[in-house]
mmCIF file of all heavy atoms in Angstrom:
data_model
loop_
_atom_site.group_PDB
_atom_site.id
_atom_site.type_symbol
_atom_site.label_atom_id
_atom_site.label_comp_id
_atom_site.label_asym_id
_atom_site.label_seq_id
_atom_site.Cartn_x
_atom_site.Cartn_y
_atom_site.Cartn_z
ATOM 1 N N SER A 129 -38.606 -97.534 -110.900
ATOM 2 C CA SER A 129 -38.831 -98.247 -112.097
ATOM 3 C C SER A 129 -38.242 -97.317 -113.240
ATOM 4 O O SER A 129 -38.382 -96.140 -113.332
ATOM 5 C CB SER A 129 -40.343 -98.419 -112.436
ATOM 6 O OG SER A 129 -40.968 -99.218 -111.494
ATOM 7 N N VAL A 130 -37.430 -98.036 -114.133
ATOM 8 C CA VAL A 130 -36.681 -97.299 -115.174
ATOM 9 C C VAL A 130 -36.915 -98.143 -116.530
ATOM 10 O O VAL A 130 -37.459 -99.253 -116.443
ATOM 11 C CB VAL A 130 -35.225 -97.044 -114.901
ATOM 12 C CG1 VAL A 130 -35.016 -96.076 -113.735
ATOM 13 C CG2 VAL A 130 -34.559 -98.418 -114.549
ATOM 14 N N TYR A 131 -36.513 -97.479 -117.567
ATOM 15 C CA TYR A 131 -36.687 -98.052 -118.897
ATOM 16 C C TYR A 131 -38.079 -98.539 -119.210
ATOM 17 O O TYR A 131 -38.307 -99.676 -119.487
ATOM 18 C CB TYR A 131 -35.637 -99.177 -119.084
ATOM 19 C CG TYR A 131 -34.202 -98.663 -118.957
ATOM 20 C CD1 TYR A 131 -33.456 -99.097 -117.915
ATOM 21 C CD2 TYR A 131 -33.615 -97.848 -119.895
ATOM 22 C CE1 TYR A 131 -32.117 -98.624 -117.757
ATOM 23 C CE2 TYR A 131 -32.310 -97.372 -119.812
ATOM 24 C CZ TYR A 131 -31.596 -97.791 -118.717
ATOM 25 O OH TYR A 131 -30.237 -97.257 -118.519
ATOM 26 N N GLU A 132 -39.062 -97.513 -118.943
ATOM 27 C CA GLU A 132 -40.388 -97.739 -119.244
ATOM 28 C C GLU A 132 -40.939 -98.893 -118.395
ATOM 29 O O GLU A 132 -41.836 -99.705 -118.839
ATOM 30 C CB GLU A 132 -40.646 -97.931 -120.679
ATOM 31 C CG GLU A 132 -40.219 -96.759 -121.527
ATOM 32 C CD GLU A 132 -40.581 -96.925 -123.034
ATOM 33 O OE1 GLU A 132 -40.884 -98.063 -123.406
ATOM 34 O OE2 GLU A 132 -40.338 -95.893 -123.805
ATOM 35 N N GLY A 133 -40.446 -99.031 -117.164
ATOM 36 C CA GLY A 133 -41.016 -100.021 -116.264
ATOM 37 C C GLY A 133 -40.501 -101.384 -116.418
ATOM 38 O O GLY A 133 -40.914 -102.330 -115.761
ATOM 39 N N THR A 134 -39.530 -101.623 -117.314
ATOM 40 C CA THR A 134 -38.950 -102.960 -117.510
ATOM 41 C C THR A 134 -37.976 -103.434 -116.466
ATOM 42 O O THR A 134 -37.676 -104.563 -116.262
ATOM 43 C CB THR A 134 -38.273 -103.012 -118.877
ATOM 44 O OG1 THR A 134 -37.110 -102.133 -118.859
ATOM 45 C CG2 THR A 134 -39.219 -102.716 -119.998
ATOM 46 N N GLN A 135 -37.363 -102.376 -115.678
ATOM 47 C CA GLN A 135 -36.430 -102.741 -114.677
ATOM 48 C C GLN A 135 -36.767 -101.958 -113.365
ATOM 49 O O GLN A 135 -37.163 -100.789 -113.396
ATOM 50 C CB GLN A 135 -35.051 -102.443 -115.103
ATOM 51 C CG GLN A 135 -34.520 -103.312 -116.220
ATOM 52 C CD GLN A 135 -33.107 -103.028 -116.506
ATOM 53 O OE1 GLN A 135 -32.165 -103.063 -115.690
ATOM 54 N NE2 GLN A 135 -32.773 -102.775 -117.734
ATOM 55 N N ARG A 136 -36.610 -102.607 -112.166
ATOM 56 C CA ARG A 136 -36.663 -101.900 -110.913
ATOM 57 C C ARG A 136 -35.378 -101.998 -110.215
ATOM 58 O O ARG A 136 -34.919 -103.211 -109.821
ATOM 59 C CB ARG A 136 -37.794 -102.582 -110.075
ATOM 60 C CG ARG A 136 -39.216 -102.115 -110.555
ATOM 61 C CD ARG A 136 -40.290 -102.694 -109.734
ATOM 62 N NE ARG A 136 -40.198 -102.338 -108.313
ATOM 63 C CZ ARG A 136 -40.639 -101.195 -107.874
ATOM 64 N NH1 ARG A 136 -41.184 -100.255 -108.702
ATOM 65 N NH2 ARG A 136 -40.541 -100.939 -106.608
ATOM 66 N N LEU A 137 -34.642 -100.858 -110.015
ATOM 67 C CA LEU A 137 -33.386 -100.887 -109.444
ATOM 68 C C LEU A 137 -33.277 -99.827 -108.367
ATOM 69 O O LEU A 137 -34.017 -98.887 -108.265
ATOM 70 C CB LEU A 137 -32.286 -100.591 -110.455
ATOM 71 C CG LEU A 137 -32.177 -101.671 -111.619
ATOM 72 C CD1 LEU A 137 -31.387 -101.114 -112.750
ATOM 73 C CD2 LEU A 137 -31.601 -102.995 -111.067
ATOM 74 N N ARG A 138 -32.300 -100.100 -107.429
ATOM 75 C CA ARG A 138 -32.006 -99.093 -106.365
ATOM 76 C C ARG A 138 -31.271 -97.872 -107.032
ATOM 77 O O ARG A 138 -30.444 -98.057 -108.002
ATOM 78 C CB ARG A 138 -31.141 -99.670 -105.259
ATOM 79 C CG ARG A 138 -31.990 -100.732 -104.382
ATOM 80 C CD ARG A 138 -31.128 -101.291 -103.391
ATOM 81 N NE ARG A 138 -30.020 -102.096 -103.952
ATOM 82 C CZ ARG A 138 -29.121 -102.690 -103.165
ATOM 83 N NH1 ARG A 138 -29.100 -102.613 -101.870
ATOM 84 N NH2 ARG A 138 -28.150 -103.342 -103.799
ATOM 85 N N ILE A 139 -31.499 -96.746 -106.491
ATOM 86 C CA ILE A 139 -30.869 -95.503 -107.081
ATOM 87 C C ILE A 139 -29.288 -95.661 -107.124
ATOM 88 O O ILE A 139 -28.657 -95.130 -108.076
ATOM 89 C CB ILE A 139 -31.372 -94.303 -106.282
ATOM 90 C CG1 ILE A 139 -32.827 -94.028 -106.642
ATOM 91 C CG2 ILE A 139 -30.508 -93.036 -106.627
ATOM 92 C CD1 ILE A 139 -33.352 -92.809 -105.897
ATOM 93 N N LYS A 140 -28.691 -96.215 -106.084
ATOM 94 C CA LYS A 140 -27.295 -96.331 -106.033
ATOM 95 C C LYS A 140 -26.755 -97.161 -107.228
ATOM 96 O O LYS A 140 -25.510 -97.208 -107.477
ATOM 97 C CB LYS A 140 -26.762 -96.787 -104.729
ATOM 98 C CG LYS A 140 -27.087 -98.184 -104.326
ATOM 99 C CD LYS A 140 -26.554 -98.484 -102.918
ATOM 100 C CE LYS A 140 -26.864 -99.912 -102.509
ATOM 101 N NZ LYS A 140 -26.323 -100.192 -101.096
ATOM 102 N N GLU A 141 -27.660 -97.970 -107.828
ATOM 103 C CA GLU A 141 -27.206 -98.776 -108.934
ATOM 104 C C GLU A 141 -27.415 -98.006 -110.227
ATOM 105 O O GLU A 141 -26.952 -98.462 -111.281
ATOM 106 C CB GLU A 141 -28.114 -100.060 -109.095
ATOM 107 C CG GLU A 141 -27.944 -100.973 -107.834
ATOM 108 C CD GLU A 141 -28.950 -102.129 -107.893
ATOM 109 O OE1 GLU A 141 -30.107 -101.954 -107.674
ATOM 110 O OE2 GLU A 141 -28.432 -103.268 -108.027
ATOM 111 N N LEU A 142 -28.065 -96.859 -110.226
ATOM 112 C CA LEU A 142 -28.307 -96.115 -111.469
ATOM 113 C C LEU A 142 -27.667 -94.748 -111.458
ATOM 114 O O LEU A 142 -27.529 -94.189 -112.572
ATOM 115 C CB LEU A 142 -29.914 -95.832 -111.440
ATOM 116 C CG LEU A 142 -30.811 -97.009 -111.435
ATOM 117 C CD1 LEU A 142 -32.276 -96.578 -111.187
ATOM 118 C CD2 LEU A 142 -30.670 -97.750 -112.858
ATOM 119 N N ALA A 143 -27.061 -94.319 -110.442
ATOM 120 C CA ALA A 143 -26.434 -92.951 -110.409
ATOM 121 C C ALA A 143 -25.395 -92.841 -109.307
ATOM 122 O O ALA A 143 -25.480 -93.493 -108.258
ATOM 123 C CB ALA A 143 -27.549 -91.840 -110.262
ATOM 124 N N THR A 144 -24.549 -91.826 -109.463
ATOM 125 C CA THR A 144 -23.585 -91.468 -108.375
ATOM 126 C C THR A 144 -24.417 -90.473 -107.521
ATOM 127 O O THR A 144 -25.255 -89.666 -107.993
ATOM 128 C CB THR A 144 -22.318 -90.811 -108.935
ATOM 129 O OG1 THR A 144 -22.697 -89.649 -109.689
ATOM 130 C CG2 THR A 144 -21.544 -91.722 -109.765
ATOM 131 N N ILE A 145 -24.182 -90.551 -106.250
ATOM 132 C CA ILE A 145 -24.974 -89.747 -105.267
ATOM 133 C C ILE A 145 -23.930 -89.003 -104.407
ATOM 134 O O ILE A 145 -23.042 -89.590 -103.846
ATOM 135 C CB ILE A 145 -25.882 -90.529 -104.376
ATOM 136 C CG1 ILE A 145 -26.678 -91.491 -105.181
ATOM 137 C CG2 ILE A 145 -26.767 -89.615 -103.497
ATOM 138 C CD1 ILE A 145 -27.469 -92.516 -104.348
ATOM 139 N N SER A 146 -23.971 -87.673 -104.389
ATOM 140 C CA SER A 146 -23.103 -86.842 -103.510
ATOM 141 C C SER A 146 -23.811 -85.601 -103.002
ATOM 142 O O SER A 146 -24.947 -85.345 -103.370
ATOM 143 C CB SER A 146 -21.957 -86.400 -104.350
ATOM 144 O OG SER A 146 -22.379 -85.537 -105.475
ATOM 145 N N ALA A 147 -23.244 -85.070 -101.881
ATOM 146 C CA ALA A 147 -23.832 -83.859 -101.335
ATOM 147 C C ALA A 147 -22.998 -82.720 -101.753
ATOM 148 O O ALA A 147 -21.749 -82.615 -101.393
ATOM 149 C CB ALA A 147 -23.836 -84.137 -99.776
ATOM 150 N N SER A 148 -23.593 -81.808 -102.493
ATOM 151 C CA SER A 148 -22.861 -80.578 -102.896
ATOM 152 C C SER A 148 -22.704 -79.595 -101.801
ATOM 153 O O SER A 148 -21.833 -78.712 -101.683
ATOM 154 C CB SER A 148 -23.522 -79.950 -104.084
ATOM 155 O OG SER A 148 -24.843 -79.524 -103.749
ATOM 156 N N ASP A 149 -23.635 -79.654 -100.783
ATOM 157 C CA ASP A 149 -23.508 -78.916 -99.536
ATOM 158 C C ASP A 149 -24.375 -79.550 -98.449
ATOM 159 O O ASP A 149 -25.016 -80.563 -98.811
ATOM 160 C CB ASP A 149 -24.000 -77.485 -99.743
ATOM 161 C CG ASP A 149 -25.466 -77.346 -100.309
ATOM 162 O OD1 ASP A 149 -26.339 -77.879 -99.602
ATOM 163 O OD2 ASP A 149 -25.649 -76.750 -101.385
ATOM 164 N N PRO A 150 -24.405 -79.108 -97.265
ATOM 165 C CA PRO A 150 -25.103 -79.845 -96.151
ATOM 166 C C PRO A 150 -26.696 -79.997 -96.397
ATOM 167 O O PRO A 150 -27.271 -80.784 -95.813
ATOM 168 C CB PRO A 150 -24.844 -78.993 -94.967
ATOM 169 C CG PRO A 150 -23.550 -78.318 -95.222
ATOM 170 C CD PRO A 150 -23.555 -78.016 -96.734
ATOM 171 N N GLN A 151 -27.185 -79.237 -97.363
ATOM 172 C CA GLN A 151 -28.641 -79.337 -97.617
ATOM 173 C C GLN A 151 -28.987 -79.792 -98.979
ATOM 174 O O GLN A 151 -30.182 -79.824 -99.313
ATOM 175 C CB GLN A 151 -29.250 -77.918 -97.412
ATOM 176 C CG GLN A 151 -29.030 -77.353 -96.031
ATOM 177 C CD GLN A 151 -29.590 -78.133 -94.925
ATOM 178 O OE1 GLN A 151 -28.911 -78.362 -93.926
ATOM 179 N NE2 GLN A 151 -30.750 -78.708 -94.987
ATOM 180 N N THR A 152 -28.045 -80.117 -99.821
ATOM 181 C CA THR A 152 -28.314 -80.530 -101.279
ATOM 182 C C THR A 152 -27.693 -81.807 -101.683
ATOM 183 O O THR A 152 -26.467 -81.976 -101.566
ATOM 184 C CB THR A 152 -27.778 -79.367 -102.198
ATOM 185 O OG1 THR A 152 -28.452 -78.112 -101.795
ATOM 186 C CG2 THR A 152 -28.408 -79.699 -103.563
ATOM 187 N N LEU A 153 -28.501 -82.694 -102.171
ATOM 188 C CA LEU A 153 -27.967 -83.956 -102.784
ATOM 189 C C LEU A 153 -27.975 -83.772 -104.264
ATOM 190 O O LEU A 153 -28.827 -83.248 -104.928
ATOM 191 C CB LEU A 153 -28.889 -85.194 -102.410
ATOM 192 C CG LEU A 153 -28.721 -85.844 -101.047
ATOM 193 C CD1 LEU A 153 -29.788 -86.927 -100.895
ATOM 194 C CD2 LEU A 153 -27.298 -86.375 -100.839
ATOM 195 N N VAL A 154 -26.876 -84.305 -104.892
ATOM 196 C CA VAL A 154 -26.827 -84.341 -106.380
ATOM 197 C C VAL A 154 -26.687 -85.738 -106.879
ATOM 198 O O VAL A 154 -25.802 -86.495 -106.430
ATOM 199 C CB VAL A 154 -25.550 -83.486 -106.783
ATOM 200 C CG1 VAL A 154 -25.405 -83.529 -108.309
ATOM 201 C CG2 VAL A 154 -25.683 -82.035 -106.267
ATOM 202 N N LEU A 155 -27.506 -86.066 -107.881
ATOM 203 C CA LEU A 155 -27.575 -87.377 -108.355
ATOM 204 C C LEU A 155 -27.166 -87.277 -109.924
ATOM 205 O O LEU A 155 -27.794 -86.482 -110.557
ATOM 206 C CB LEU A 155 -28.850 -88.131 -108.401
ATOM 207 C CG LEU A 155 -29.350 -88.705 -106.991
ATOM 208 C CD1 LEU A 155 -29.463 -87.639 -105.909
ATOM 209 C CD2 LEU A 155 -30.619 -89.411 -107.098
ATOM 210 N N GLN A 156 -26.159 -88.002 -110.315
ATOM 211 C CA GLN A 156 -25.843 -88.011 -111.686
ATOM 212 C C GLN A 156 -25.990 -89.395 -112.317
ATOM 213 O O GLN A 156 -25.195 -90.309 -112.029
ATOM 214 C CB GLN A 156 -24.353 -87.542 -111.917
ATOM 215 C CG GLN A 156 -23.899 -87.421 -113.295
ATOM 216 C CD GLN A 156 -22.622 -86.634 -113.518
ATOM 217 O OE1 GLN A 156 -21.922 -86.265 -112.554
ATOM 218 N NE2 GLN A 156 -22.317 -86.263 -114.753
ATOM 219 N N PRO A 157 -27.078 -89.576 -113.043
ATOM 220 C CA PRO A 157 -27.418 -90.931 -113.566
ATOM 221 C C PRO A 157 -26.236 -91.424 -114.510
ATOM 222 O O PRO A 157 -25.649 -90.656 -115.238
ATOM 223 C CB PRO A 157 -28.671 -90.664 -114.348
ATOM 224 C CG PRO A 157 -29.266 -89.554 -113.719
ATOM 225 C CD PRO A 157 -28.126 -88.594 -113.339
ATOM 226 N N PHE A 158 -25.974 -92.735 -114.514
ATOM 227 C CA PHE A 158 -25.051 -93.323 -115.376
ATOM 228 C C PHE A 158 -25.578 -93.140 -116.790
ATOM 229 O O PHE A 158 -24.844 -93.049 -117.738
ATOM 230 C CB PHE A 158 -24.794 -94.693 -115.065
ATOM 231 C CG PHE A 158 -24.258 -94.922 -113.629
ATOM 232 C CD1 PHE A 158 -24.897 -95.896 -112.736
ATOM 233 C CD2 PHE A 158 -23.208 -94.086 -113.133
ATOM 234 C CE1 PHE A 158 -24.431 -96.009 -111.430
ATOM 235 C CE2 PHE A 158 -22.787 -94.350 -111.790
ATOM 236 C CZ PHE A 158 -23.404 -95.223 -110.895
ATOM 237 N N ASP A 159 -26.812 -93.251 -116.902
ATOM 238 C CA ASP A 159 -27.514 -93.035 -118.216
ATOM 239 C C ASP A 159 -28.453 -91.898 -118.179
ATOM 240 O O ASP A 159 -29.518 -92.025 -117.535
ATOM 241 C CB ASP A 159 -28.316 -94.359 -118.502
ATOM 242 C CG ASP A 159 -29.113 -94.284 -119.885
ATOM 243 O OD1 ASP A 159 -29.018 -93.228 -120.515
ATOM 244 O OD2 ASP A 159 -29.777 -95.277 -120.267
ATOM 245 N N PRO A 160 -28.103 -90.734 -118.622
ATOM 246 C CA PRO A 160 -28.906 -89.551 -118.619
ATOM 247 C C PRO A 160 -30.311 -89.705 -118.992
ATOM 248 O O PRO A 160 -31.211 -88.894 -118.654
ATOM 249 C CB PRO A 160 -28.164 -88.563 -119.324
ATOM 250 C CG PRO A 160 -26.693 -88.935 -119.358
ATOM 251 C CD PRO A 160 -26.830 -90.531 -119.396
ATOM 252 N N SER A 161 -30.510 -90.651 -119.951
ATOM 253 C CA SER A 161 -31.845 -90.750 -120.584
ATOM 254 C C SER A 161 -32.906 -91.165 -119.504
ATOM 255 O O SER A 161 -34.111 -91.160 -119.751
ATOM 256 C CB SER A 161 -31.884 -91.787 -121.690
ATOM 257 O OG SER A 161 -31.676 -93.157 -121.164
ATOM 258 N N ILE A 162 -32.480 -91.733 -118.335
ATOM 259 C CA ILE A 162 -33.458 -92.144 -117.342
ATOM 260 C C ILE A 162 -33.579 -91.182 -116.208
ATOM 261 O O ILE A 162 -34.210 -91.496 -115.168
ATOM 262 C CB ILE A 162 -33.130 -93.572 -116.753
ATOM 263 C CG1 ILE A 162 -31.745 -93.606 -116.131
ATOM 264 C CG2 ILE A 162 -33.260 -94.605 -117.868
ATOM 265 C CD1 ILE A 162 -31.474 -94.913 -115.401
ATOM 266 N N ALA A 163 -33.033 -90.052 -116.280
ATOM 267 C CA ALA A 163 -33.032 -88.988 -115.251
ATOM 268 C C ALA A 163 -34.415 -88.680 -114.819
ATOM 269 O O ALA A 163 -34.825 -88.628 -113.552
ATOM 270 C CB ALA A 163 -32.237 -87.744 -115.610
#
């Protein structure tokens, strides 16, 4: 739930997802205000 519960979206719709190493995921929200 984001934007104070007004929307429910999948994370892949909200941020880029990558692996910085074999044990760490990094998510960069398209809109930093909802991190």
